[in-house]
């Protein structure tokens, strides 16, 4: 017996002798290329690991669907990364437009009947703050980000029925809170 060195049991392997978790579908050079494409596409440095993970998931989904692997995985990964960078910019622009719309609505409301609009906005904000996180999240995505129920369900990874249920409960609670405070 060797002193100072622990004996290691052999790794458990799958039926075909492969690692049960499977190898990383992207080689280190491919990961570097994906990160470079994302960075050149304007994705912030903090979001690069998420982008690489998205490319890995796309490759694994492709394999899970039974489709054959791309001939040139590196080129395929670069195209997917480029598409992800464009999607990131579209989402950012969508958020900016949403912020602009909310600012316009706020100005219109404060111009017409400023005190009432501010009171209502404050009451709604307090009501949202009192909701459980899951309900608050679906309300914000549905009514402020203007996403359809299906998109919210896909984004959160929950069934559409769950989103609808959370929305219904949250709206009912908000309505009751606004009536209690005699705001509406």
């Amino acid at each position: 017996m060797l002193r100072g060195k622990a004996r290691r049991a052999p790794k458990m392997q799958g039926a075909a002798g492969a690692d049960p978790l499977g190898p990383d579908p992207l080689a280190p050079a491919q990961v570097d290329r994906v990160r470079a494409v994302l960075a050149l596409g304007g994705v912030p440095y903090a979001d690069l690991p998420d982008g690489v993970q998205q490319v890995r998931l796309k490759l694994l989904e492709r394999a899970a669907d039974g489709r054959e692997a791309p001939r040139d995985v590196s080129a395929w990964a670069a195209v997917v990364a480029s598409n992800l960078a464009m999607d990131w910019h579209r989402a950012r622009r969508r958020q900016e437009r949403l912020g602009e719309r909310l600012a316009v609505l706020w100005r219109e409301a404060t111009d017409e009947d400023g005190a009432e609009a501010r009171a209502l906005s404050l009451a709604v904000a307090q009501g949202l703050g009192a909701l459980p996180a899951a309900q608050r999240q679906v309300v914000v995505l549905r009514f402020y980000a203007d996403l359809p129920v299906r998109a919210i369900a896909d984004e959160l990874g929950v069934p559409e029925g769950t989103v609808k249920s959370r929305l219904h409960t949250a709206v009912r609670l908000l309505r009751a809170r606004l009536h209690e405070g005699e705001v509406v």
Side-chain angles (χ1 to χ4, degrees), residues 124-171:
V124 170
Q126 288 172 342
L128 279 173
L131 290 175
Q135 291 175 357
R136 182 174 49 247
Q137 186 177 34
V138 294
V139 167
V140 168
L141 290 173
R142 178 67 188 105
F143 297 111
Y144 290 97
D146 200 26
L147 292 177
V149 171
R150 176 170 288 178
I152 296 169
D154 291 342
E155 186 69 31
L156 299 178
V158 297
E160 287 182 46
T162 301
V163 172
K164 291 176 183 179
S165 173
R166 288 177 185 172
L167 275 172
H168 175 77
T169 304
V171 169

